[in-house]
Amino acid sequence: MKQALLAENLCKRYGRGDTGVTAMDNVAISLDTGEVVALLGPSGAGKSTLLTALGLIRPPDSGRIVIDGTVVFDNGYKTDVRAFRRSNIGFVFQKANLLPFLTARENVQLPMELDDISGGKSRRRAMELLEQFGMENRQGFKPSELSGGQQQRVAIARALANCPKLLFADEPTAALDSVMGRKVMEMMKRVAHDFQTSVLVVTHDTRALDVFDRILRMEDGKIGEK
Amino acid sequence: MNLALKDIRFKFGRFLLTTFGISLLLMVVMGMGGIYRGLIQEATLIIDRAGADIWVVQKQTKGPFAEVSSLPRNMEYRIAAIEGVESACAFISHTVQRDFQGRVIRMTIQGLPDDGQWLPLLKGRPLRESHFEMLADKSAQLPLGTRIRLGKDTYEVVGITGQMNAPSGDAMVFVSLDDALSIRNDIPAEGIRSEREARVRRFDAMPYGSTSAEHVEILRSASKRPAALPGRRISAVLVKVREGWNKEEVLRRIRELPDVSAYTADEQRQIMLGGFVARSRRQIRLFRTILLIVSTVVMTLVLFMLTMDKVHDIAMLKLLGARNGVMIEMILTQALLIGCIAFGVARFLGQWAYPHFPRRVVLVAADLWLLFGIVVGVSILASVAGVVKAMLTDAGEVLS
Ligand SMILES: Nc1ncnc2c1ncn2[C@@H]1O[C@H](COP(=O)(O)OP(=O)(O)OP(=O)(O)O)[C@@H](O)[C@H]1O
Ligand SMILES: [Mg+2]
């Protein structure tokens, strides 16, 4: 299988000197295309730090990141990260972070519009995605009119709108009950499979681990297979 | 998908309130500019309306508005006799403050050489009789038919003018020249009696033989000449220069008279603007500048706060890979919309509010355009602050 993500020697230290914290210590990770991987670890292990580094949100101090054959980070960004993020990477967080002034459909449409996809086309695709997540009858609702689980499903639909190569999720089901959490996780896996998107999910919910193709563990800034 | 408009619609109440607040502020700024223009217009209004080429006043005074000027009535005829003078007309103007029906009214009584046909009449008619009729400006709040006692006579308001205020801002009322003279030169009966008596005494003190009983009889009389009292005084003489004559030449001839000073209409205007209202002008101009600075600060702050509110959304947009243009457009559109709508609302509210101001508010197109330019400039400036904030926002802030 083709590699969607390859990262090596990622290091990140917060602060200086004795009081500094090593959040990532020579981390290496790779994801195959369409692979759905869980990342477990105690609080403060550096999971979120790793995700923001891989997602090109906050750069690591050093290391190398190759996404879909493109070197995007090699001790410094090598591409226009915002443009790259726009079309290649999707994010889901613990909070849905939907734009409050847009409807569910418009929130899903947004990444496509930002990528200059025409209104009609983006609208159709947004509706398709909402349908996949069982949200088609809520498409005209504002985020404030949706439940937490519904908001999260819209957020995942939004993350997948541009058919990204990679989807990063940081405790996406933490705010949901276990039944809804599992349901959301399964939907995410199914859609990722359809789109050939590689998924890396940070989770604490050990009951839904059977959904994943592979499980990684992180501790004290270091990563290991379970 | 226009993010700015969607955001405005989402928080429409706040948008309205913000816009309304700024529009009130702009209305005050606009009004202050209008008061400035109004002050200047009022200061020169009667000079412009009188249409005289030359103003003749008491020697060495800058009258009749900037200071008191007093000329004998016959000055009118002396000036008229000068070559090159087409017409010379007595001008009499003085301000009175009276208690009337339980309120204080201030009015500048203006003597009319004619019936006042040329005045901007809103209601009623021009003067028809040569006595005891009055035209009052609307701002005097004396309705048609009001009877008011001035001097020894009662005057009836027969016409209402609009926008006729004296340089002091007080309402002008117009009566015939003779009536104006009576009101200005009103002396109580006792004053007249004692003045006559004083003359007789002075006469009696003259050496015997140089007086006669007949002379005494004449001095005691009110109707025979010489008059018992000094002649009535006027404020100024308005001169129209004859067609084909050089104004400067006529002015020079009038100035040759040893007991008067004379100014062209332009000099008279300069006297008003440079002296009479100079201090008020400076004050209002300063106040307008301060108001403008305050509005700039308030608008910048308000618009910047609107952006600050959106930092989280902006971070999310950045995370989704939005180009900078998307954020700039969103911030700029909102700021400009608020600025422009507020300006429009201020203009509209002003139209309704300014006529209720005690002093005249004159909106000049150039002032309005300047203010509009400033509003647009401030909106952009405030946006720049917001945009800088947006540019510095880290996409990672979504996580916090
Ligand atoms: N912005 C920051 N400044 C300083 N230290 C930070 C910062 N962010 C994270 N850290 C530190 O880096 C370490 C790793 O943090 P990180 O958020 O990656 O942990 P995590 O594995 O996601 O934990 P959790 O499961 O609680 O979310 C922690 O010790 C934390 O204190
Ligand atoms: Mg975390």
Side-chain angles (χ1 to χ4, degrees), chain A residues 52 57-58 82 85-86 91 93 97 99-102 106 109-110 113-114 116 142 158, chain B residues 1 3 6-7 10 312-313 316-324 327 394 396 398-399:
Chain A
T52 53
I57 299 175
R58 280 178 177 156
R82 224 188 287 172
R85 248 192 342 247
R86 190 163 59 225
F91 291 96
F93 304 100
N97 288 315
L99 293 191
F101 50 88
L102 299 182
E106 287 164 344
Q109 254 182 290
L110 184 62
E113 294 234 340
L114 293 176
D116 298 327
K142 293 268 160 63
R158 175 178 68 182
Chain B
M1 187 151 52
L3 295 177
K6 298 231 178 231
D7 186 33
F10 182 64
H312 192 262
D313 296 342
M316 192 61 218
L317 278 169
K318 278 193 161 180
L319 196 102
L320 291 175
R323 294 178 190 87
N324 288 339
M327 269 90 73
D394 174 15
V398 173
L399 307 169

mmCIF file of all heavy atoms in Angstrom, chain A residues 52 57-58 82 85-86 91 93 97 99-102 106 109-110 113-114 116 142 158, chain B residues 1 3 6-7 10 312-313 316-324 327 394 396 398-399:
data_model
loop_
_atom_site.group_PDB
_atom_site.id
_atom_site.type_symbol
_atom_site.label_atom_id
_atom_site.label_comp_id
_atom_site.label_asym_id
_atom_site.label_seq_id
_atom_site.Cartn_x
_atom_site.Cartn_y
_atom_site.Cartn_z
ATOM 1 N N THR A 52 -0.837 18.447 15.862
ATOM 2 C CA THR A 52 -0.709 19.802 15.288
ATOM 3 C C THR A 52 0.531 19.897 14.397
ATOM 4 O O THR A 52 0.552 20.653 13.439
ATOM 5 C CB THR A 52 -0.626 20.883 16.373
ATOM 6 O OG1 THR A 52 0.407 20.547 17.291
ATOM 7 C CG2 THR A 52 -1.938 21.044 17.108
ATOM 8 N N ILE A 57 -0.187 22.668 11.624
ATOM 9 C CA ILE A 57 -0.779 23.801 12.329
ATOM 10 C C ILE A 57 0.296 24.524 13.134
ATOM 11 O O ILE A 57 0.431 25.738 13.071
ATOM 12 C CB ILE A 57 -1.913 23.328 13.266
ATOM 13 C CG1 ILE A 57 -3.019 22.665 12.472
ATOM 14 C CG2 ILE A 57 -2.462 24.500 14.077
ATOM 15 C CD1 ILE A 57 -4.111 22.068 13.329
ATOM 16 N N ARG A 58 1.066 23.752 13.903
ATOM 17 C CA ARG A 58 2.184 24.333 14.641
ATOM 18 C C ARG A 58 3.424 23.503 14.343
ATOM 19 O O ARG A 58 3.430 22.303 14.594
ATOM 20 C CB ARG A 58 1.893 24.324 16.147
ATOM 21 C CG ARG A 58 0.986 25.457 16.546
ATOM 22 C CD ARG A 58 0.656 25.429 18.012
ATOM 23 N NE ARG A 58 -0.158 26.587 18.348
ATOM 24 C CZ ARG A 58 -0.983 26.647 19.378
ATOM 25 N NH1 ARG A 58 -1.089 25.608 20.192
ATOM 26 N NH2 ARG A 58 -1.679 27.728 19.624
ATOM 27 N N ARG A 82 -0.845 26.706 4.280
ATOM 28 C CA ARG A 82 -2.292 26.928 4.368
ATOM 29 C C ARG A 82 -2.998 26.361 3.143
ATOM 30 O O ARG A 82 -4.041 25.726 3.244
ATOM 31 C CB ARG A 82 -2.593 28.415 4.539
ATOM 32 C CG ARG A 82 -3.657 28.603 5.608
ATOM 33 C CD ARG A 82 -4.146 30.010 5.696
ATOM 34 N NE ARG A 82 -3.180 30.904 6.303
ATOM 35 C CZ ARG A 82 -3.360 32.231 6.335
ATOM 36 N NH1 ARG A 82 -4.442 32.756 5.795
ATOM 37 N NH2 ARG A 82 -2.463 33.001 6.889
ATOM 38 N N ARG A 85 -2.908 22.587 3.429
ATOM 39 C CA ARG A 85 -3.897 22.115 4.397
ATOM 40 C C ARG A 85 -5.290 22.096 3.781
ATOM 41 O O ARG A 85 -6.059 21.167 3.968
ATOM 42 C CB ARG A 85 -3.925 23.083 5.588
ATOM 43 C CG ARG A 85 -3.399 22.489 6.845
ATOM 44 C CD ARG A 85 -3.653 23.274 8.090
ATOM 45 N NE ARG A 85 -4.004 24.650 8.019
ATOM 46 C CZ ARG A 85 -3.236 25.647 8.453
ATOM 47 N NH1 ARG A 85 -2.034 25.393 8.960
ATOM 48 N NH2 ARG A 85 -3.650 26.873 8.391
ATOM 49 N N ARG A 86 -5.554 23.170 3.044
ATOM 50 C CA ARG A 86 -6.883 23.359 2.478
ATOM 51 C C ARG A 86 -7.321 22.146 1.663
ATOM 52 O O ARG A 86 -8.431 21.676 1.791
ATOM 53 C CB ARG A 86 -6.875 24.608 1.606
ATOM 54 C CG ARG A 86 -8.242 25.046 1.150
ATOM 55 C CD ARG A 86 -8.195 26.484 0.662
ATOM 56 N NE ARG A 86 -7.270 26.672 -0.439
ATOM 57 C CZ ARG A 86 -6.405 27.678 -0.535
ATOM 58 N NH1 ARG A 86 -6.325 28.569 0.436
ATOM 59 N NH2 ARG A 86 -5.605 27.791 -1.577
ATOM 60 N N PHE A 91 -9.435 18.195 9.747
ATOM 61 C CA PHE A 91 -9.286 18.143 11.205
ATOM 62 C C PHE A 91 -10.629 17.981 11.889
ATOM 63 O O PHE A 91 -11.627 18.558 11.461
ATOM 64 C CB PHE A 91 -8.690 19.452 11.742
ATOM 65 C CG PHE A 91 -7.272 19.660 11.353
ATOM 66 C CD1 PHE A 91 -6.950 20.426 10.249
ATOM 67 C CD2 PHE A 91 -6.253 19.091 12.112
ATOM 68 C CE1 PHE A 91 -5.639 20.614 9.884
ATOM 69 C CE2 PHE A 91 -4.943 19.292 11.747
ATOM 70 C CZ PHE A 91 -4.624 20.053 10.626
ATOM 71 N N PHE A 93 -11.877 18.126 16.082
ATOM 72 C CA PHE A 93 -11.424 18.323 17.470
ATOM 73 C C PHE A 93 -12.500 17.861 18.439
ATOM 74 O O PHE A 93 -13.599 17.485 18.047
ATOM 75 C CB PHE A 93 -11.107 19.800 17.714
ATOM 76 C CG PHE A 93 -10.104 20.341 16.754
ATOM 77 C CD1 PHE A 93 -10.495 21.092 15.660
ATOM 78 C CD2 PHE A 93 -8.757 20.052 16.929
ATOM 79 C CE1 PHE A 93 -9.566 21.578 14.765
ATOM 80 C CE2 PHE A 93 -7.819 20.544 16.020
ATOM 81 C CZ PHE A 93 -8.227 21.305 14.934
ATOM 82 N N ASN A 97 -16.288 23.256 16.783
ATOM 83 C CA ASN A 97 -15.727 24.476 16.193
ATOM 84 C C ASN A 97 -16.355 24.847 14.863
ATOM 85 O O ASN A 97 -15.671 25.272 13.932
ATOM 86 C CB ASN A 97 -14.214 24.328 15.992
ATOM 87 C CG ASN A 97 -13.467 24.370 17.302
ATOM 88 O OD1 ASN A 97 -13.731 25.217 18.145
ATOM 89 N ND2 ASN A 97 -12.568 23.430 17.491
ATOM 90 N N LEU A 99 -18.508 27.288 12.431
ATOM 91 C CA LEU A 99 -18.727 28.739 12.432
ATOM 92 C C LEU A 99 -20.190 28.990 12.798
ATOM 93 O O LEU A 99 -21.090 28.485 12.140
ATOM 94 C CB LEU A 99 -18.409 29.342 11.062
ATOM 95 C CG LEU A 99 -16.932 29.290 10.643
ATOM 96 C CD1 LEU A 99 -16.699 30.137 9.405
ATOM 97 C CD2 LEU A 99 -16.022 29.750 11.770
ATOM 98 N N PRO A 100 -20.416 29.743 13.855
ATOM 99 C CA PRO A 100 -21.778 29.867 14.409
ATOM 100 C C PRO A 100 -22.765 30.550 13.476
ATOM 101 O O PRO A 100 -23.963 30.344 13.589
ATOM 102 C CB PRO A 100 -21.565 30.693 15.683
ATOM 103 C CG PRO A 100 -20.301 31.441 15.451
ATOM 104 C CD PRO A 100 -19.438 30.548 14.597
ATOM 105 N N PHE A 101 -22.240 31.354 12.526
ATOM 106 C CA PHE A 101 -23.170 32.115 11.687
ATOM 107 C C PHE A 101 -23.507 31.409 10.381
ATOM 108 O O PHE A 101 -24.228 31.949 9.543
ATOM 109 C CB PHE A 101 -22.628 33.527 11.411
ATOM 110 C CG PHE A 101 -21.214 33.573 10.916
ATOM 111 C CD1 PHE A 101 -20.944 33.494 9.573
ATOM 112 C CD2 PHE A 101 -20.155 33.703 11.821
ATOM 113 C CE1 PHE A 101 -19.640 33.544 9.107
ATOM 114 C CE2 PHE A 101 -18.850 33.756 11.362
ATOM 115 C CZ PHE A 101 -18.581 33.668 10.003
ATOM 116 N N LEU A 102 -22.965 30.182 10.205
ATOM 117 C CA LEU A 102 -23.293 29.417 9.005
ATOM 118 C C LEU A 102 -24.154 28.217 9.384
ATOM 119 O O LEU A 102 -24.055 27.691 10.486
ATOM 120 C CB LEU A 102 -22.007 28.926 8.322
ATOM 121 C CG LEU A 102 -21.033 30.008 7.841
ATOM 122 C CD1 LEU A 102 -19.834 29.363 7.156
ATOM 123 C CD2 LEU A 102 -21.732 30.968 6.887
ATOM 124 N N GLU A 106 -23.732 24.981 5.074
ATOM 125 C CA GLU A 106 -22.735 25.994 4.714
ATOM 126 C C GLU A 106 -21.395 25.708 5.382
ATOM 127 O O GLU A 106 -20.336 25.941 4.798
ATOM 128 C CB GLU A 106 -23.238 27.387 5.117
ATOM 129 C CG GLU A 106 -24.350 27.894 4.210
ATOM 130 C CD GLU A 106 -25.110 29.076 4.806
ATOM 131 O OE1 GLU A 106 -24.990 29.323 6.024
ATOM 132 O OE2 GLU A 106 -25.824 29.727 4.044
ATOM 133 N N GLN A 109 -19.847 23.180 3.292
ATOM 134 C CA GLN A 109 -19.488 23.785 1.998
ATOM 135 C C GLN A 109 -18.220 24.632 2.096
ATOM 136 O O GLN A 109 -17.477 24.777 1.128
ATOM 137 C CB GLN A 109 -20.626 24.709 1.553
ATOM 138 C CG GLN A 109 -21.480 24.197 0.436
ATOM 139 C CD GLN A 109 -22.522 25.237 0.093
ATOM 140 O OE1 GLN A 109 -23.444 25.471 0.875
ATOM 141 N NE2 GLN A 109 -22.371 25.855 -1.057
ATOM 142 N N LEU A 110 -18.018 25.210 3.278
ATOM 143 C CA LEU A 110 -16.980 26.231 3.444
ATOM 144 C C LEU A 110 -15.595 25.822 2.917
ATOM 145 O O LEU A 110 -15.003 26.555 2.118
ATOM 146 C CB LEU A 110 -16.907 26.663 4.915
ATOM 147 C CG LEU A 110 -15.933 27.795 5.234
ATOM 148 C CD1 LEU A 110 -16.329 29.068 4.503
ATOM 149 C CD2 LEU A 110 -15.903 28.062 6.745
ATOM 150 N N GLU A 113 -15.616 25.944 -0.826
ATOM 151 C CA GLU A 113 -15.651 27.316 -1.354
ATOM 152 C C GLU A 113 -14.284 27.979 -1.207
ATOM 153 O O GLU A 113 -13.848 28.728 -2.074
ATOM 154 C CB GLU A 113 -16.707 28.137 -0.607
ATOM 155 C CG GLU A 113 -18.112 27.628 -0.866
ATOM 156 C CD GLU A 113 -19.040 28.720 -1.360
ATOM 157 O OE1 GLU A 113 -18.737 29.898 -1.153
ATOM 158 O OE2 GLU A 113 -20.068 28.359 -1.968
ATOM 159 N N LEU A 114 -13.622 27.705 -0.069
ATOM 160 C CA LEU A 114 -12.289 28.275 0.133
ATOM 161 C C LEU A 114 -11.319 27.710 -0.897
ATOM 162 O O LEU A 114 -10.297 28.308 -1.194
ATOM 163 C CB LEU A 114 -11.791 27.960 1.552
ATOM 164 C CG LEU A 114 -12.562 28.631 2.698
ATOM 165 C CD1 LEU A 114 -12.026 28.168 4.044
ATOM 166 C CD2 LEU A 114 -12.484 30.151 2.592
ATOM 167 N N ASP A 116 -12.165 27.233 -3.950
ATOM 168 C CA ASP A 116 -12.679 27.709 -5.240
ATOM 169 C C ASP A 116 -13.512 26.679 -5.993
ATOM 170 O O ASP A 116 -13.513 26.656 -7.237
ATOM 171 C CB ASP A 116 -11.526 28.193 -6.138
ATOM 172 C CG ASP A 116 -10.805 29.361 -5.506
ATOM 173 O OD1 ASP A 116 -11.471 30.150 -4.818
ATOM 174 O OD2 ASP A 116 -9.578 29.473 -5.686
ATOM 175 N N LYS A 142 -28.554 26.136 12.283
ATOM 176 C CA LYS A 142 -27.318 26.753 12.785
ATOM 177 C C LYS A 142 -26.727 25.835 13.843
ATOM 178 O O LYS A 142 -27.466 25.098 14.501
ATOM 179 C CB LYS A 142 -27.626 28.120 13.404
ATOM 180 C CG LYS A 142 -28.085 29.164 12.395
ATOM 181 C CD LYS A 142 -26.919 29.973 11.860
ATOM 182 C CE LYS A 142 -27.220 30.672 10.553
ATOM 183 N NZ LYS A 142 -28.273 31.658 10.618
ATOM 184 N N ARG A 158 -17.407 18.230 7.409
ATOM 185 C CA ARG A 158 -16.623 19.371 6.939
ATOM 186 C C ARG A 158 -15.164 18.971 6.719
ATOM 187 O O ARG A 158 -14.553 19.344 5.716
ATOM 188 C CB ARG A 158 -16.686 20.507 7.960
ATOM 189 C CG ARG A 158 -15.792 21.687 7.594
ATOM 190 C CD ARG A 158 -15.906 22.818 8.570
ATOM 191 N NE ARG A 158 -15.347 22.476 9.876
ATOM 192 C CZ ARG A 158 -15.360 23.292 10.927
ATOM 193 N NH1 ARG A 158 -15.917 24.475 10.845
ATOM 194 N NH2 ARG A 158 -14.843 22.907 12.076
ATOM 195 N N MET B 1 -20.702 32.510 -1.238
ATOM 196 C CA MET B 1 -21.065 32.606 0.185
ATOM 197 C C MET B 1 -20.327 33.797 0.792
ATOM 198 O O MET B 1 -19.108 33.810 0.883
ATOM 199 C CB MET B 1 -20.640 31.314 0.897
ATOM 200 C CG MET B 1 -21.113 31.253 2.310
ATOM 201 S SD MET B 1 -21.382 29.575 2.911
ATOM 202 C CE MET B 1 -19.848 28.737 2.547
ATOM 203 N N LEU B 3 -19.243 35.666 3.784
ATOM 204 C CA LEU B 3 -19.132 35.441 5.229
ATOM 205 C C LEU B 3 -19.526 36.675 6.033
ATOM 206 O O LEU B 3 -20.185 36.569 7.064
ATOM 207 C CB LEU B 3 -17.703 35.032 5.575
ATOM 208 C CG LEU B 3 -17.251 33.693 4.988
ATOM 209 C CD1 LEU B 3 -15.806 33.419 5.333
ATOM 210 C CD2 LEU B 3 -18.132 32.564 5.475
ATOM 211 N N LYS B 6 -23.276 37.026 6.182
ATOM 212 C CA LYS B 6 -23.865 35.956 7.001
ATOM 213 C C LYS B 6 -23.635 36.240 8.479
ATOM 214 O O LYS B 6 -24.510 36.019 9.321
ATOM 215 C CB LYS B 6 -23.249 34.606 6.630
ATOM 216 C CG LYS B 6 -23.517 34.245 5.199
ATOM 217 C CD LYS B 6 -24.093 32.848 5.065
ATOM 218 C CE LYS B 6 -24.381 32.548 3.615
ATOM 219 N NZ LYS B 6 -25.707 32.056 3.366
ATOM 220 N N ASP B 7 -22.448 36.728 8.793
ATOM 221 C CA ASP B 7 -22.133 37.032 10.196
ATOM 222 C C ASP B 7 -23.010 38.181 10.692
ATOM 223 O O ASP B 7 -23.530 38.140 11.812
ATOM 224 C CB ASP B 7 -20.646 37.396 10.317
ATOM 225 C CG ASP B 7 -20.249 37.578 11.775
ATOM 226 O OD1 ASP B 7 -20.816 36.873 12.636
ATOM 227 O OD2 ASP B 7 -19.381 38.430 12.047
ATOM 228 N N PHE B 10 -26.397 36.978 11.323
ATOM 229 C CA PHE B 10 -26.424 36.128 12.518
ATOM 230 C C PHE B 10 -26.537 36.964 13.789
ATOM 231 O O PHE B 10 -27.273 36.639 14.705
ATOM 232 C CB PHE B 10 -25.156 35.273 12.549
ATOM 233 C CG PHE B 10 -25.102 34.331 13.713
ATOM 234 C CD1 PHE B 10 -26.032 33.313 13.851
ATOM 235 C CD2 PHE B 10 -24.107 34.450 14.670
ATOM 236 C CE1 PHE B 10 -25.985 32.436 14.916
ATOM 237 C CE2 PHE B 10 -24.050 33.576 15.746
ATOM 238 C CZ PHE B 10 -24.993 32.567 15.862
ATOM 239 N N HIS B 312 -11.642 33.468 17.252
ATOM 240 C CA HIS B 312 -11.744 32.011 17.205
ATOM 241 C C HIS B 312 -12.207 31.531 15.824
ATOM 242 O O HIS B 312 -11.656 30.570 15.267
ATOM 243 C CB HIS B 312 -12.717 31.529 18.292
ATOM 244 C CG HIS B 312 -12.669 30.053 18.503
ATOM 245 N ND1 HIS B 312 -13.585 29.212 17.920
ATOM 246 C CD2 HIS B 312 -11.812 29.269 19.198
ATOM 247 C CE1 HIS B 312 -13.294 27.962 18.256
ATOM 248 N NE2 HIS B 312 -12.205 27.970 19.041
ATOM 249 N N ASP B 313 -13.194 32.244 15.275
ATOM 250 C CA ASP B 313 -13.683 31.877 13.941
ATOM 251 C C ASP B 313 -12.592 32.086 12.890
ATOM 252 O O ASP B 313 -12.465 31.300 11.944
ATOM 253 C CB ASP B 313 -14.912 32.714 13.569
ATOM 254 C CG ASP B 313 -16.085 32.436 14.507
ATOM 255 O OD1 ASP B 313 -16.049 31.395 15.182
ATOM 256 O OD2 ASP B 313 -17.014 33.265 14.558
ATOM 257 N N MET B 316 -10.217 29.345 12.988
ATOM 258 C CA MET B 316 -10.800 28.158 12.332
ATOM 259 C C MET B 316 -10.708 28.299 10.822
ATOM 260 O O MET B 316 -10.368 27.337 10.125
ATOM 261 C CB MET B 316 -12.272 28.027 12.774
ATOM 262 C CG MET B 316 -12.887 26.698 12.391
ATOM 263 S SD MET B 316 -12.023 25.318 13.168
ATOM 264 C CE MET B 316 -12.073 24.127 11.826
ATOM 265 N N LEU B 317 -10.988 29.516 10.330
ATOM 266 C CA LEU B 317 -10.881 29.749 8.892
ATOM 267 C C LEU B 317 -9.462 29.487 8.414
ATOM 268 O O LEU B 317 -9.239 28.870 7.374
ATOM 269 C CB LEU B 317 -11.285 31.194 8.558
ATOM 270 C CG LEU B 317 -12.780 31.459 8.447
ATOM 271 C CD1 LEU B 317 -13.063 32.949 8.387
ATOM 272 C CD2 LEU B 317 -13.350 30.763 7.211
ATOM 273 N N LYS B 318 -8.497 29.949 9.215
ATOM 274 C CA LYS B 318 -7.097 29.728 8.839
ATOM 275 C C LYS B 318 -6.778 28.242 8.835
ATOM 276 O O LYS B 318 -6.081 27.735 7.957
ATOM 277 C CB LYS B 318 -6.182 30.436 9.844
ATOM 278 C CG LYS B 318 -6.010 31.907 9.578
ATOM 279 C CD LYS B 318 -4.869 32.446 10.405
ATOM 280 C CE LYS B 318 -4.365 33.757 9.852
ATOM 281 N NZ LYS B 318 -3.252 34.291 10.639
ATOM 282 N N LEU B 319 -7.303 27.540 9.829
ATOM 283 C CA LEU B 319 -7.065 26.102 9.917
ATOM 284 C C LEU B 319 -7.634 25.396 8.693
ATOM 285 O O LEU B 319 -7.056 24.448 8.179
ATOM 286 C CB LEU B 319 -7.740 25.564 11.186
ATOM 287 C CG LEU B 319 -7.234 24.199 11.579
ATOM 288 C CD1 LEU B 319 -6.268 24.355 12.729
ATOM 289 C CD2 LEU B 319 -8.366 23.289 11.968
ATOM 290 N N LEU B 320 -8.780 25.887 8.226
ATOM 291 C CA LEU B 320 -9.393 25.287 7.039
ATOM 292 C C LEU B 320 -8.658 25.720 5.779
ATOM 293 O O LEU B 320 -9.017 25.329 4.687
ATOM 294 C CB LEU B 320 -10.864 25.696 6.938
ATOM 295 C CG LEU B 320 -11.794 25.115 8.013
ATOM 296 C CD1 LEU B 320 -13.183 25.705 7.866
ATOM 297 C CD2 LEU B 320 -11.840 23.597 7.931
ATOM 298 N N GLY B 321 -7.634 26.586 5.961
ATOM 299 C CA GLY B 321 -6.799 26.970 4.827
ATOM 300 C C GLY B 321 -7.294 28.182 4.078
ATOM 301 O O GLY B 321 -6.959 28.372 2.909
ATOM 302 N N ALA B 322 -8.121 29.026 4.728
ATOM 303 C CA ALA B 322 -8.614 30.222 4.040
ATOM 304 C C ALA B 322 -7.452 31.139 3.703
ATOM 305 O O ALA B 322 -6.534 31.298 4.500
ATOM 306 C CB ALA B 322 -9.621 30.951 4.924
ATOM 307 N N ARG B 323 -7.523 31.748 2.495
ATOM 308 C CA ARG B 323 -6.508 32.736 2.124
ATOM 309 C C ARG B 323 -6.733 33.998 2.959
ATOM 310 O O ARG B 323 -7.847 34.261 3.430
ATOM 311 C CB ARG B 323 -6.624 33.091 0.647
ATOM 312 C CG ARG B 323 -6.305 31.928 -0.277
ATOM 313 C CD ARG B 323 -6.490 32.332 -1.733
ATOM 314 N NE ARG B 323 -6.419 31.160 -2.592
ATOM 315 C CZ ARG B 323 -7.472 30.401 -2.881
ATOM 316 N NH1 ARG B 323 -8.659 30.705 -2.397
ATOM 317 N NH2 ARG B 323 -7.345 29.344 -3.657
ATOM 318 N N ASN B 324 -5.684 34.804 3.088
ATOM 319 C CA ASN B 324 -5.802 36.046 3.863
ATOM 320 C C ASN B 324 -6.910 36.936 3.333
ATOM 321 O O ASN B 324 -7.607 37.605 4.093
ATOM 322 C CB ASN B 324 -4.481 36.809 3.846
ATOM 323 C CG ASN B 324 -3.445 36.104 4.701
ATOM 324 O OD1 ASN B 324 -3.794 35.314 5.573
ATOM 325 N ND2 ASN B 324 -2.185 36.373 4.440
ATOM 326 N N MET B 327 -10.321 36.615 4.964
ATOM 327 C CA MET B 327 -10.470 37.262 6.270
ATOM 328 C C MET B 327 -10.537 38.785 6.115
ATOM 329 O O MET B 327 -11.349 39.443 6.739
ATOM 330 C CB MET B 327 -9.289 36.914 7.182
ATOM 331 C CG MET B 327 -9.529 35.676 8.019
ATOM 332 S SD MET B 327 -8.978 34.183 7.185
ATOM 333 C CE MET B 327 -7.230 34.315 7.300
ATOM 334 N N ASP B 394 -3.049 32.632 15.367
ATOM 335 C CA ASP B 394 -2.471 31.339 15.046
ATOM 336 C C ASP B 394 -3.610 30.343 14.866
ATOM 337 O O ASP B 394 -4.540 30.298 15.673
ATOM 338 C CB ASP B 394 -1.561 30.946 16.229
ATOM 339 C CG ASP B 394 -1.004 29.546 16.068
ATOM 340 O OD1 ASP B 394 -1.087 29.007 14.948
ATOM 341 O OD2 ASP B 394 -0.504 29.014 17.062
ATOM 342 N N GLY B 396 -3.657 27.451 15.440
ATOM 343 C CA GLY B 396 -3.681 26.554 16.589
ATOM 344 C C GLY B 396 -4.571 27.047 17.725
ATOM 345 O O GLY B 396 -4.898 26.284 18.639
ATOM 346 N N VAL B 398 -7.523 27.459 17.643
ATOM 347 C CA VAL B 398 -8.764 26.693 17.635
ATOM 348 C C VAL B 398 -8.752 25.678 18.775
ATOM 349 O O VAL B 398 -9.773 25.367 19.373
ATOM 350 C CB VAL B 398 -8.916 25.965 16.281
ATOM 351 C CG1 VAL B 398 -10.093 25.032 16.307
ATOM 352 C CG2 VAL B 398 -9.052 26.984 15.172
ATOM 353 N N LEU B 399 -7.541 25.191 19.072
ATOM 354 C CA LEU B 399 -7.418 24.135 20.075
ATOM 355 C C LEU B 399 -7.663 24.660 21.482
ATOM 356 O O LEU B 399 -8.023 23.925 22.379
ATOM 357 C CB LEU B 399 -6.003 23.521 20.019
ATOM 358 C CG LEU B 399 -5.580 23.045 18.631
ATOM 359 C CD1 LEU B 399 -4.108 22.715 18.604
ATOM 360 C CD2 LEU B 399 -6.398 21.839 18.226
#
